[in-house]
C-alpha cells in the first residue's frame, strides 16, 4: 500500500497544468477619511482602480456580462476600502432576508474573494446586497466543493448600500486585521462574483468555466498594493458571556435554574496565526440541528456550527475521507454516551486552539480541550488534543500530517484499560491542479490503543477529472476492523469500498436547457474480515438537467444489494421485528427530483422515489417549500415521508418528518427564528424559537426557547429557556 500510495502521488503530480493570470488592478494608498454611507461621492473614488469588465458565468461563460459591475479599491494603514457600482435592468431586487450571512443563490448580491497568501487553497470572502446586509465566509480546500465553504465564520467589518434607479452602490470598510497575510506583501489574488436575479444572470470578474464552481480559487486575478502591507496590529478580542437557563426534564421529573459565565479570547500571533482560548463555553444560542430520517444501519454526520471550532477548521477536519473515515470530527467534543448509551452533553471546561499560516508554504494547527467528568453517567474527564501540519507543494496541492490523542484525565473504575486513550496518526496528500481540472486525495492513517498496536489502518485514494464535456472520479477506501478514532467520524469499519463516477455533459443551443448529462455511478463494498465478501453495492444511472431559468431536475435508477451480517430494523421503531441477518437483499428503485429557481417568491425543491426495499417496498417523498415576503419574512416547510411496506412478521411504517420554519428579520440587527420539527421515528416534536438582537458588532442578546414533546402521547419531554448576553470587546 505505501509504495502504491507514493507511486500514484508522483504520477498524478505530472498532470498538474498551468494557466496564465491576465487580469489585475492596483490599490492606491490614501490619507483621506471615508464616510461609509454607501454613496461613492468621495473624490478619491474617481481615480481609484479596480475590477471591471465582468464576464458572464451563467447562462453562458463566453461573453461579457449584460449588466456590469464596477469595483474600486483603496486602502490606508488600517483598512481596505471598496466601492461598488452594480447595474441592473430595474429596481425589483430579490432580498429574502435582512439577516447577516444570507445564502447567495436566489437573491441579488455581490461577493468579493481574497486569497491573501496567494496559495489558491484558502481565502476570505465578503459579500453585500442592495440593502446593505453583510455576509462573510472562509473558503478552504481551494473551493473545490461546498464542504470548504464555511458561513459560520464571523469577523468585524462595515458595509452600507444605496439603491438608485437601475443600479445600487455599496461601500465596504474591511479592517486589515480581519485578514491574515504576510508582512510586506504587495499582491493578493482576487475574484468577485455576482448574482443578478432580475436578468437571470451570474457574472464573475475573472472568467470561470461553468463546469467549475464559482467559488473555485483556481480562477483569480491579481490586486497590487501601492506600498507593502505592514505588520498585523490585530487587537486582542475578549468575548465574555452570561447565560441564565431554566430547564425541566419531564422524563426524570428534574428541574434546574442556573447561571453560567464564561467566554472566549482571540489573540493574533504575527500576521498569519490565531490563538483562540475558551473557558466554560456555552453553545445554547447555536442554531438547532436539522433532524434527518435515517433508514440506514449507520450514523449520520451533521455540520459543526459552534464558533470556537470555525477558524481554519479545514486544518483539523479535512483529513481522510469525509464520508467514510474522517479521523477528526469536532462535534465529538462535548458529547458523550451515558450508561443507557444515549448521547448527552459533556461539559467543556476549557481549551486552546492555535491555527493559521506559519509562512507562505506551511500551516499549523493545534487544539487542546478538556471535558468534565460525570461520575453518575460513567463519563470520564478527557483531554482532547490534535496537532496538524500542512505543507504546500506544486501549484495548489499540499501534504498534511496529524496526531490525535484522546486520553482519560485520571484513573476511573468504570473505564476499561483499552479505553484509557485513543491515538491516531496519519498523512494526507491533497491534489489540486492549477486550473482545477485534476483533483484528488491519498491518505494513510493508523490508530493506537493500550495493548493494541498492530494493524488498525485506514487508507484511501481518490482521483478526479473535471472538464466541460467529460467528468470522472474514482474513490477507494479501506478501514481496518480494529481502526478506532474516538474523535472521528467512521460510520463503518472492516470495509474495502470503491465508488466510480463517469459523466458526459451536453451544452445544447437551447432557450430552455442550459446543460444536461448522463452519469454512471457504481458503489461497491467488500468486508476483508469476511474473506472479502461483497456485502453492498449500489449501481446508479442518472440523468441531470440545468435549465436556463436556473431551475434543475433529474431522474435516476438504482440497483442495490445489501448483505446483512446482523439483524436490522430499517424502521428503527420500538417493538419492531428485525430482518434476519446472514442474508442478502436485492432491490431496485427509481428517483425523480426538481428544484425551482430560488429567486421565485414561492420556490420548491422536491424528490420522490419508488421501488423495492430489502424484502418489501418503499415510497419516499422529500419536499422543501419556501415563501418569500421580502425583505422581512421567509417561511418554509420541509416535508419527508417514507412508507415502508415489509411482509409479515416484519414491521411496516409510515415515517413522517415535518419541519416548518419561520424567519423574521425586523431590521439588520433584530432577528427571530422559530423551527418546529416533528418526527414520529424519533417520537419527538421539537420547538426551537430564537430571538437575536445584535446591539453592537458581533455582540448579541439571545433569548432561546426549547420545548420537546412525545409524539404518541403528546406528553411534555423537555423544556428550557435561555437568556444569553455576549459582547465582543477589543483591547
Amino acid at each position: 500500500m505505501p509504495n502504491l500510495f507514493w507511486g500514484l502521488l508522483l504520477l498524478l503530480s505530472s498532470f498538474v497544468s498551468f494557466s496564465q493570470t491576465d487580469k489585475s488592478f492596483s490599490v492606491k494608498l490614501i490619507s483621506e477619511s471615508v464616510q461609509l454611507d454607501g454613496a461613492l461621492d468621495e473624490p478619491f473614488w474617481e481615480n481609484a482602480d479596480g475590477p471591471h469588465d465582468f464576464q458572464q458565468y451563467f447562462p453562458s461563460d463566453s461573453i461579457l456580462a449584460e449588466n456590469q459591475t464596477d469595483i474600486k479599491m483603496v486602502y490606508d494603514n488600517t483598512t481596505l476600502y471598496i466601492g461598488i457600482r452594480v447595474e441592473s435592468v430595474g429596481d425589483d431586487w430579490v432580498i429574502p432576508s435582512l439577516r447577516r450571512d444570507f445564502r447567495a443563490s436566489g437573491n441579488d448580491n455581490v461577493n468579493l474573494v481574497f486569497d491573501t497568501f496567494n496559495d489558491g487553497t484558502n481565502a476570505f470572502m465578503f459579500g453585500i446586497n442592495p440593502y446593505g446586509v453583510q455576509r462573510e465566509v472562509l473558503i478552504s480546500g481551494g473551493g473545490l466543493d461546498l464542504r470548504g465553504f464555511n458561513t459560520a465564520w464571523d469577523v468585524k467589518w462595515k458595509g452600507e448600500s444605496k439603491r438608485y434607479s437601475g443600479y445600487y452602490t455599496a461601500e465596504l470598510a474591511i479592517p486589515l486585521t480581519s485578514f491574515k497575510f504576510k508582512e510586506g506583501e504587495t499582491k493578493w489574488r482576487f475574484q468577485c462574483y455576482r448574482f443578478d436575479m432580475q436578468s437571470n444572470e451570474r457574472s464573475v470578474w475573472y472568467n470561470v468555466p461553468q463546469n467549475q464552481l464559482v467559488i473555485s480559487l483556481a480562477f483569480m486575478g491579481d490586486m497590487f498594493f501601492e506600498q507593502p502591507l505592514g505588520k498585523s496590529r490585530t487587537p486582542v478580542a475578549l468575548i465574555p458571556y452570561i447565560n441564565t437557563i431554566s430547564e425541566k426534564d419531564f422524563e426524570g421529573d428534574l428541574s434546574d435554574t442556573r447561571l453560567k459565565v464564561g467566554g472566549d479570547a482571540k489573540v493574533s500571533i504575527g500576521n498569519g496565526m490565531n490563538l483562540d482560548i475558551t473557558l466554560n463555553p456555552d453553545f445554547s444560542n447555536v442554531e438547532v440541528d436539522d433532524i434527518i430520517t435515517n433508514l440506514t444501519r449507520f450514523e449520520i454526520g451533521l455540520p459543526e456550527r459552534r464558533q470556537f471550532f470555525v477558524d481554519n477548521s479545514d486544518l483539523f477536519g479535512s483529513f481522510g475521507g469525509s464520508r467514510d473515515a474522517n479521523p477528526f470530527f469536532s462535534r465529538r467534543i462535548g458529547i458523550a454516551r451515558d450508561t443507557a448509551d444515549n448521547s448527552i452533553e459533556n461539559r467543556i471546561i476549557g481549551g486552546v486552539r492555535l491555527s493559521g499560516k506559519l509562512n507562505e508554504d506551511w500551516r499549523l494547527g493545534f487544539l487542546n480541550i478538556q471535558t468534565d467528568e460525570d461520575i453518575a453517567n460513567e463519563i470520564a474527564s478527557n483531554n482532547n488534543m490534535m496537532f496538524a501540519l500542512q505543507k504546500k507543494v506544486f501549484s495548489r496541492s499540499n501534504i498534511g500530517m496529524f496526531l490525535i490523542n484522546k486520553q482519560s484525565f485520571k484513573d476511573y473504575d468504570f473505564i476499561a484499560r483499552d479505553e484509557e486513550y485513543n491515538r491516531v496518526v496519519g498523512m494526507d496528500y491533497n491534489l489540486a491542479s492549477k486550473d482545477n481540472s485534476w483533483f484528488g486525495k491519498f491518505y494513510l492513517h493508523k490508530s493506537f490503543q493500550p495493548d493494541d498496536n498492530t494493524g488498525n489502518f485506514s487508507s484511501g485514494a481518490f482521483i478526479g477529472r473535471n472538464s466541460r464535456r467529460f467528468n470522472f472520479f474514482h474513490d477507494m477506501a479501506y478501514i481496518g476492523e480494529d481502526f478506532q478514532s474516538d474523535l472521528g467520524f467512521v460510520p463503518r469499519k472492516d470495509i474495502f469500498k470503491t465508488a466510480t463516477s463517469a459523466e458526459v455533459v451536453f451544452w445544447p443551443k437551447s432557450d430552455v436547457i442550459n446543460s444536461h448529462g448522463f452519469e454512471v455511478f457504481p458503489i461497491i463494498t467488500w468486508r476483508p474480515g469476511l474473506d472479502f465478501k461483497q456485502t453492498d453495492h449500489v449501481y446508479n444511472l442518472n440523468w441531470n438537467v440545468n435549465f436556463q431559468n436556473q431551475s434543475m431536475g433529474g431522474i435516476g435508477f438504482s440497483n442495490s444489494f445489501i448483505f446483512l451480517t446482523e439483524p436490522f430494523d430499517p424502521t428503527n421503531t420500538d417493538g419492531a421485528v428485525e430482518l434476519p441477518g446472514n442474508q442478502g437483499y436485492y432491490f431496485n428503485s427509481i428517483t425523480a427530483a426538481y428544484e425551482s429557481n430560488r429567486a421565485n417568491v414561492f420556490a420548491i425543491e422536491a424528490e420522490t422515489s419508488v421501488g423495492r426495499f430489502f424484502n418489501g417496498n418503499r415510497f419516499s417523498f422529500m419536499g422543501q417549500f419556501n415563501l418569500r415576503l421580502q425583505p422581512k419574512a421567509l417561511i418554509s416547510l420541509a416535508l419527508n415521508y417514507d412508507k415502508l411496506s415489509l411482509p409479515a412478521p416484519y414491521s411496516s411504517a409510515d415515517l413522517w418528518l415535518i419541519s416548518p420554519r419561520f424567519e423574521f428579520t425586523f431590521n439588520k440587527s433584530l432577528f427571530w427564528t422559530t423551527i418546529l420539527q416533528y418526527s414520529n421515528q424519533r417520537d419527538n416534536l421539537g420547538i426551537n424559537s430564537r430571538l437575536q438582537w445584535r446591539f453592537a458588532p458581533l455582540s448579541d442578546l439571545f433569548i432561546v426557547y426549547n420545548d420537546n414533546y412525545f409524539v404518541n402521547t403528546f406528553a411534555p419531554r423537555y423544556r428550557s429557556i435561555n437568556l444569553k448576553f455576549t459582547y465582543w470587546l477589543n483591547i
Side-chain angles (χ1 to χ4, degrees), residues 628-685:
R628 185 181 81 247
L629 305 174
Q630 75 171 49
K632 299 291 186 180
L634 184 63
I635 301 172
S636 65
L637 172 65
L639 173 64
N640 286 33
Y641 172 66
D642 289 275
K643 182 178 181 61
L644 306 183
S645 302
L646 306 183
Y650 309 112
S651 299
S652 299
D654 291 286
L655 301 178
W656 291 90
L657 175 56
I658 304 172
S659 181
R661 179 187 181 104
F662 307 90
E663 187 173 311
F664 299 95
T665 53
F666 301 100
N667 51 50
K668 291 192 290 184
S669 300
L670 188 60
F671 323 117
W672 179 33
T673 303
T674 298
I675 304 171
L676 284 75
Q677 298 189 94
Y678 166 92
S679 172
N680 62 348
Q681 186 186 49
R682 297 196 180 190
D683 191 19
N684 192 75
L685 169 64

Side-chain angles (χ1 to χ4, degrees), residues 128-384:
I128 197 165
N129 71 16
Y131 282 64
V133 183
Q134 301 168 219
R135 69 192 298 244
E136 57 274 307
V137 176
L138 289 177
I139 300 176
S140 61
L144 182 64
D145 55 49
L146 293 179
R147 287 174 294 181
F149 194 78
N150 196 330
T151 60
W153 177 57
D154 275 331
V155 70
K156 280 189 175 182
W157 64 285
K158 297 179 181 179
E160 294 291 342
S161 298
K162 274 189 174 295
R163 301 183 299 278
Y164 302 91
S165 178
Y167 70 98
Y168 72 90
T169 60
E171 280 184 314
L172 282 61
I174 307 175
L176 293 175
T177 55
S178 296
F179 301 97
K180 292 297 179 184
F181 53 87
K182 183 175 68 175
E183 182 179 356
E185 187 62 84
T186 58
K187 187 199 81 170
W188 293 352
R189 298 172 73 240
F190 175 80
Q191 173 67 297
C192 179
Y193 64 91
R194 173 195 168 188
F195 289 76
D196 181 359
M197 296 297 103
Q198 297 180 74
S199 299
N200 192 38
E201 182 180 60
R202 300 181 185 183
S203 57
V204 292
W205 173 59
Y206 193 94
N207 193 33
V208 181
Q210 279 194 45
N211 60 286
Q212 299 282 351
L213 288 182
V214 72
I215 63 170
S216 172
L217 303 185
F219 305 94
M220 305 185 77
D222 293 328
M223 52 185 289
F224 293 93
F225 292 94
E226 189 174 33
Q227 293 185 14
L229 296 173
K231 186 176 181 180
S232 175
R233 298 180 177 85
T234 304
V236 174
L238 298 179
I239 315 168
Y241 80 85
I242 300 175
N243 180 27
T244 300
I245 179 173
S246 179
E247 59 184 346
K248 180 173 178 62
D249 180 355
F250 291 89
E251 289 185 88
D253 194 24
L254 301 172
S255 299
D256 188 23
T257 299
R258 61 186 185 274
L259 178 69
K260 293 179 66 177
V261 179
D264 296 342
K266 292 180 175 291
V267 182
S268 177
I269 299 178
N271 280 42
M273 299 291 293
N274 290 322
L275 176 63
D276 293 283
I277 305 169
T278 189
L279 181 64
N280 194 28
D282 174 80
F283 306 112
S284 61
N285 60 296
V286 175
E287 189 170 294
V288 65
D289 288 320
D290 294 330
I291 292 178
I292 297 173
T293 300
N294 187 2
L295 302 180
T296 74
R297 296 158 286 165
F298 314 113
E299 181 184 23
I300 294 175
L302 296 171
E304 177 63 85
R305 302 176 186 269
R306 297 173 293 181
Q307 184 65 30
F308 177 77
F309 296 96
V310 169
D311 278 357
N312 294 305
S313 59
D314 66 297
L315 254 175
F316 303 92
S318 63
F319 287 95
S322 60
R323 294 181 179 87
D324 299 304
N326 186 345
F328 182 80
F329 184 54
S330 61
R331 286 183 63 110
R332 296 288 187 212
I333 301 175
I335 300 292
R337 294 278 185 178
D338 63 12
T339 53
D341 202 36
N342 297 312
S343 293
I344 63 172
E345 181 182 354
N346 181 206
R347 187 178 77 91
I348 296 175
I349 299 172
V352 296
R353 191 168 176 273
L354 177 67
S355 62
K357 281 272 194 178
L358 292 172
N359 55 40
E360 187 173 339
D361 293 332
W362 288 91
R363 297 177 73 204
L364 170 70
F366 174 77
L367 178 146
N368 193 287
I369 293 178
Q370 189 73 31
T371 56
D372 201 2
E373 66 181 11
D374 184 347
I375 302 298
N377 287 298
E378 297 187 356
I379 298 171
S381 176
N382 287 302
N383 182 261
N384 307 271

Side-chain angles (χ1 to χ4, degrees), residues 311-613:
D311 278 357
N312 294 305
S313 59
D314 66 297
L315 254 175
F316 303 92
S318 63
F319 287 95
S322 60
R323 294 181 179 87
D324 299 304
N326 186 345
F328 182 80
F329 184 54
S330 61
R331 286 183 63 110
R332 296 288 187 212
I333 301 175
I335 300 292
R337 294 278 185 178
D338 63 12
T339 53
D341 202 36
N342 297 312
S343 293
I344 63 172
E345 181 182 354
N346 181 206
R347 187 178 77 91
I348 296 175
I349 299 172
V352 296
R353 191 168 176 273
L354 177 67
S355 62
K357 281 272 194 178
L358 292 172
N359 55 40
E360 187 173 339
D361 293 332
W362 288 91
R363 297 177 73 204
L364 170 70
F366 174 77
L367 178 146
N368 193 287
I369 293 178
Q370 189 73 31
T371 56
D372 201 2
E373 66 181 11
D374 184 347
I375 302 298
N377 287 298
E378 297 187 356
I379 298 171
S381 176
N382 287 302
N383 182 261
N384 307 271
M385 186 276 290
M386 182 174 184
F387 173 82
L389 191 63
Q390 188 182 89
K391 171 70 166 64
K392 177 185 174 183
V393 294
F394 308 116
S395 58
R396 297 174 59 239
S397 303
N398 61 72
I399 295 177
M401 299 160 284
F402 72 88
L403 166 65
I404 298 171
N405 183 59
K406 180 182 179 182
Q407 188 157 355
S408 299
F409 196 60
K410 60 183 181 181
D411 292 331
Y412 294 93
D413 294 338
F414 51 81
I415 297 295
R417 172 168 168 75
D418 62 354
E419 297 177 343
E420 290 178 357
Y421 67 80
N422 171 246
R423 293 166 187 156
V424 188
V425 297
M427 176 178 291
D428 287 35
Y429 172 71
N430 296 289
L431 168 71
S433 65
K434 193 165 186 178
D435 63 358
N436 220 43
S437 58
W438 287 96
F439 53 94
K441 173 186 278 285
F442 306 88
Y443 61 90
L444 179 63
H445 304 161
K446 178 175 171 57
S447 66
F448 301 87
Q449 288 181 246
D451 305 323
D452 185 16
N453 297 321
T454 61
N456 310 347
F457 284 102
S458 168
S459 60
F462 176 91
I463 182 65
R465 168 74 176 174
N466 188 345
S467 68
R468 188 173 182 85
R469 187 67 181 272
F470 299 102
N471 297 314
F472 166 85
F473 73 76
H474 183 65
D475 186 18
M476 295 186 298
Y478 165 78
I479 304 162
E481 186 174 7
D482 296 321
F483 180 78
Q484 181 74 26
S485 183
D486 289 351
L487 294 182
F489 180 74
V490 186
R492 301 180 69 179
K493 295 188 290 186
D494 184 30
I495 65 168
F496 178 75
K497 177 181 175 181
T498 68
T500 305
S501 171
E503 181 184 32
V504 57
V505 183
F506 302 93
W507 304 84
K509 295 182 179 179
S510 168
D511 294 332
V512 178
I513 296 177
N514 180 266
S515 66
H516 68 100
F518 295 91
E519 179 190 31
V520 178
F521 186 16
I523 306 170
I524 307 173
T525 303
W526 294 266
R527 290 283 302 275
L530 298 177
D531 296 325
F532 274 90
K533 179 181 180 64
Q534 181 184 326
T535 57
D536 302 77
H537 79 231
V538 182
Y539 301 140
N540 298 295
L541 178 62
N542 303 314
W543 175 71
N544 299 302
V545 57
N546 296 302
F547 297 99
Q548 297 287 18
N549 65 358
Q550 297 198 38
S551 63
M552 60 187 68
I555 57 175
F557 169 81
S558 67
N559 169 264
S560 301
F561 166 72
I562 295 178
F563 182 86
L564 292 180
T565 56
E566 301 289 340
F568 170 62
D569 168 33
T571 68
N572 193 25
T573 54
D574 292 336
V577 178
E578 296 180 316
L579 296 173
N582 199 32
Q583 184 172 330
Y585 299 84
Y586 292 88
F587 47 97
N588 301 326
S589 64
I590 298 174
T591 301
Y594 174 76
E595 179 180 327
S596 69
N597 187 345
R598 296 181 186 273
N600 294 344
V601 173
F602 180 70
I604 65 171
E605 300 176 34
E607 179 178 304
T608 186
S609 63
V610 61
R612 299 285 293 171
F613 189 65

